[in-house]
Amino acid sequence: SSELTQDPAVSVALGQTVKITCQGDSLRSYSASWYQQKPGQAPVFVMYGKNNRPSGIPDRFSGSSSGNTASLTITGAQAEDEADYYCNSRDGSGNHGVFGTGTKVTVL
Amino acid sequence: EVQLVQSGAEVKKPGESLKISCKNSGYSFTSYWIGWVRQMPGKGLEWMGIIYPGDSDTRYSPSFQGQVTISADKSISTAYLQWSSLKASDTAMYYCARLTVGATFVYFDYWGQGTLVTVSS
């Protein structure tokens, strides 16, 4: 399958930890990347692979992977982390890319 | 500083043609893939296709093959996305983004600001 499945929505209390997951067969072979998108804004690249953060992304964001599941964890969530999050990887053929279905994170 | 600057919003009628652009600066345009991503109103991100400006190698997602054309002009570091005959269902925000590719990973590290395309009679 070339699909990447995410939970539609999760909520987290301010300062607590939330894990966003991405499932797909292609993740057994290829790493995931992660993007944060706030309303009315372009996506922002926040993570790829196992805990590789681009410069400027806070270290409360971390990445991990096991089997067919990739995860993005926010440890100590802040109000500004409220956004939609998308995973991305190659599809099963390796010739194309595919985005996950997206997860809306609400910080309470 | 890497920048991707997209052309402005467009309002078109069904059946019309359109070409939107993505001007790149701050890096070697011919050394990275550029991708196009669609986001329909209230929906998620969709991978449309990618182009390598160095040799114009172009790869379309199966869902978009034959529906759009991706091209690039390396003399002006600009990538393009075009339609020959727009449909109302093409109404969406379109993003260009620079793609870094490895053996087991891909990621879009820099994004344009988006071009809103509205198709309505």
Side-chain angles (χ1 to χ4, degrees), chain A residues 29-33 35 37 40-45 47-48 84 86 88-91 94-101, chain B residues 37 39 43-48 50 59-62 95 99 101-114:
Chain A
S29 303
Y30 302 109
S31 297
S33 55
Y35 306 86
Q37 187 180 34
Q41 297 184 19
V44 172
F45 170 51
M47 184 68 59
Y48 82 94
D84 295 325
Y86 295 91
N88 169 233
S89 185
R90 293 179 188 259
D91 70 0
N95 293 322
H96 304 288
V98 61
F99 284 96
T101 50
Chain B
V37 176
Q39 188 167 38
K43 302 298 184 183
L45 305 176
E46 298 176 89
W47 179 300
M48 300 179 71
I50 57 175
R59 303 178 188 185
Y60 297 93
S61 172
Y95 294 101
L99 185 69
V101 176
T104 60
F105 63 85
V106 293
Y107 57 80
F108 288 113
D109 51 2
Y110 292 92
W111 292 68
Q113 82 277 19

Side-chain angles (χ1 to χ4, degrees), chain B residues 77-110:
Chain B
S77 300
T78 300
Y80 301 97
L81 178 66
Q82 68 181 89
W83 296 259
S84 58
S85 181
L86 286 160
K87 303 183 285 286
S89 57
D90 293 317
T91 294
M93 181 70 81
Y94 293 89
Y95 294 101
C96 65
R98 190 181 82 166
L99 185 69
T100 292
V101 176
T104 60
F105 63 85
V106 293
Y107 57 80
F108 288 113
D109 51 2
Y110 292 92

Side-chain angles (χ1 to χ4, degrees), chain A residues 4-101:
Chain A
L4 296 177
T5 302
Q6 299 179 238
D7 291 329
V10 296
S11 61
V12 57
L14 185 68
Q16 296 304 300
T17 297
V18 61
K19 182 183 249 188
I20 306 160
T21 60
C22 173
Q23 287 189 302
D25 289 342
S26 65
L27 297 178
R28 297 185 185 279
S29 303
Y30 302 109
S31 297
S33 55
W34 292 91
Y35 306 86
Q36 176 193 70
Q37 187 180 34
K38 297 180 180 179
Q41 297 184 19
V44 172
F45 170 51
V46 296
M47 184 68 59
Y48 82 94
K50 294 183 180 180
N51 216 22
N52 297 289
R53 269 189 322 276
S55 61
I57 300 302
D59 61 6
R60 63 179 179 271
F61 290 88
S62 61
S64 61
S65 179
S66 178
N68 73 335
T69 302
S71 302
L72 178 71
T73 300
I74 309 173
T75 302
Q78 302 299 302
E80 60 263 33
D81 300 332
E82 186 163 289
D84 295 325
Y85 290 83
Y86 295 91
C87 61
N88 169 233
S89 185
R90 293 179 188 259
D91 70 0
S93 74
N95 293 322
H96 304 288
V98 61
F99 284 96
T101 50

